[in-house]
């Protein structure tokens, strides 16, 4: 069987089945934003790792090394945030191609450490190898959470309302603008871009993980389920629905879109399309039972209600006229689509 027949998520399910079930001390198992490992009756270690590969996730024509370092750290911190945890320690493993210099690697670590510092996390180890082709980056972040405060992907129940922090679609639109403007080093970069375009590109290159927001939601016991939006709203909501055994209705006109995205010129898709299938926003998507909405409103946190969890297991998108249509997971899959996150030459 080809991997493309089952896709990235089918493959992960299979790998998950090879792991021993209900392993002592790992009550959640494989499949959430981070592994939750019980250290003591009250304390849990959260662990997550993400790989970034040159030519697949990024292209050095469209990112500078400092931004790349920031992002490599941020995408991992985001997974800890999505569990409602506090990130503490980081390990970085690099495969370095001959084209990169000592100065390049220093720049990369300026970005890594700036992001880690902002969220109280420290670099404690890793591994360094030569790569024959392409820069390969693996970052692991360890965090902590009180066992009862962890928010998994699987807790959504019918009637829960669906919320998302910040705005969606900016990162994918930023990548498109970056690519069409001949990259960070090419023409059309820097000062010649307008401020809206620059902000969309910034969101792509240096996403800010929602660590503070995830922490607040978990501390106040508000969210029934949570995931970070790394693959696009349709895919990540799909994970919440599948793991919760539920469905969802999303109201298209409620999806939060930034004014920069709404007014951007020369994009190939509509803002809602970027939000649904673009990915790499690293916002938090979470569900809240109706009885906890008051508590949520009392928090200092910007989140938009975009829909409701349903008992029927399908996902539907409701348009401006109130017409519903099936909402299919259309985000990134490493093995299924020809689509890639970064422009690849
Ligand atoms: P995210 O987008 O939040 O980083 P992924 O889609 O990469 O999540 O992974 C989903 C889940 O599958 C996570 O719990 C991750 O730890 C697990 N996973 C992914 N690949 C593997 C693998 N090769 N071996 C074991 N677990 C994996
Ligand atoms: Mg995640």
């Amino acid at each position: 069987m080809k991997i493309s027949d089952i896709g990235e998520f089918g493959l992960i399910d299979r790998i998950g089945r090879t792991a021993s079930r209900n392993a002592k001390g790992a009550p959640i198992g494989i499949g959430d934003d981070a592994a939750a490992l019980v250290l003591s009756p009250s304390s849990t270690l959260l662990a997550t790792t993400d790989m970034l590969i040159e030519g697949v996730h990024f292209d050095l024509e469209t990112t500078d090394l400092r931004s790349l370092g920031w992002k490599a750290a941020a995408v991992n911190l985001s997974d800890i945030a999505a569990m409602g945890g506090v990130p503490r320690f980081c390990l970085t493993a690099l495969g370095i191609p001959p084209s990169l210099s000592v100065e390049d690697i220093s720049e990369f670590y300026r970005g890594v450490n700036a992001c880690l510092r902002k969220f109280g996390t420290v670099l404690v180890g890793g591994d360094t190898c030569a790569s024959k082709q392409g820069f390969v980056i693996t970052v692991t972040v360890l965090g902590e959470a009180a066992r009862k405060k962890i928010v998994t992907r699987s807790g959504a129940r019918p009637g829960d309302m669906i919320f998302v922090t910040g705005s969606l679609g900016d990162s994918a639109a930023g990548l498109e603008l970056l690519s069409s403007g001949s990259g960070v080093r090419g023409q059309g970069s820097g000062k010649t871009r307008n401020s809206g375009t620059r902000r969309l590109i910034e969101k792509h290159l240096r996403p800010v993980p929602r660590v503070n927001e995830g922490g607040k939601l978990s501390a106040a016991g508000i969210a029934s389920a949570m995931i970070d939006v790394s693959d696009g709203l349709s895919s990540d909501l799909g994970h919440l629905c599948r793991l919760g055994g539920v469905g969802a209705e999303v109201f298209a006109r409620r999806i939060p879109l930034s004014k920069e995205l709404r007014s951007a010129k020369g994009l190939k898709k509509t803002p809602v399309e970027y939000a649904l299938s673009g990915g790499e926003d690293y916002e938090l998507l979470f569900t809240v039972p109706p009885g906890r909405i008051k508590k949520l409103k009392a928090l200092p946190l910007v989140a938009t209600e975009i829909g409701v969890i349903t008992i029927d297991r399908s996902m539907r998108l409701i348009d401006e006229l109130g017409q519903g249509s099936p909402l299919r997971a259309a985000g990134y899959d490493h093995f299924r689509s020809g689509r890639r996150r970064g422009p690849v030459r």
Side-chain angles (χ1 to χ4, degrees), residues 8-9 11-13 15-16 18-19 29-35 47-51 75-76 78-79 82 153 227-231 236 239 242 282 334 341:
E8 177 185 345
F9 303 108
L11 186 64
I12 293 174
D13 279 348
I15 294 170
T18 69
I30 288 174
D32 221 296
D33 290 291
T48 184
T49 192
D50 265 302
M51 204 170 198
V75 302
N76 280 274
S78 178
D79 277 326
R153 289 179 175 183
I227 188 170
D228 65 329
V229 184
S230 54
D231 295 327
D236 292 313
H239 293 315
R242 190 169 42 84
Y282 300 102
H334 274 269
R341 276 192 180 125

Side-chain angles (χ1 to χ4, degrees), residues 318-330:
I318 313 296
D319 70 15
E320 320 268 320
L321 304 169
Q323 303 283 327
S325 58
L327 175 60
R328 290 195 185 86

Side-chain angles (χ1 to χ4, degrees), residues 149 216-223 288-301:
K149 295 291 184 189
K216 281 181 203 158
L217 288 166
S218 121
I222 286 171
V288 182
R292 297 188 207 152
I293 296 289
K294 247 193 177 162
K295 255 181 161 179
L296 172 66
K297 300 262 147 108
L299 279 188
L301 184 141

Side-chain angles (χ1 to χ4, degrees), residues 273-287:
E273 284 170 335
Y274 287 106
L276 290 174
S277 62
E280 297 201 284
D281 287 308
Y282 300 102
E283 295 294 346
L284 292 177
L285 176 69
F286 58 98
T287 56

Side-chain angles (χ1 to χ4, degrees), residues 81 127 173 187 201 248 288 304 306:
D127 195 22
Q187 291 171 342
I201 290 174
V288 182
T304 309
I306 58 167

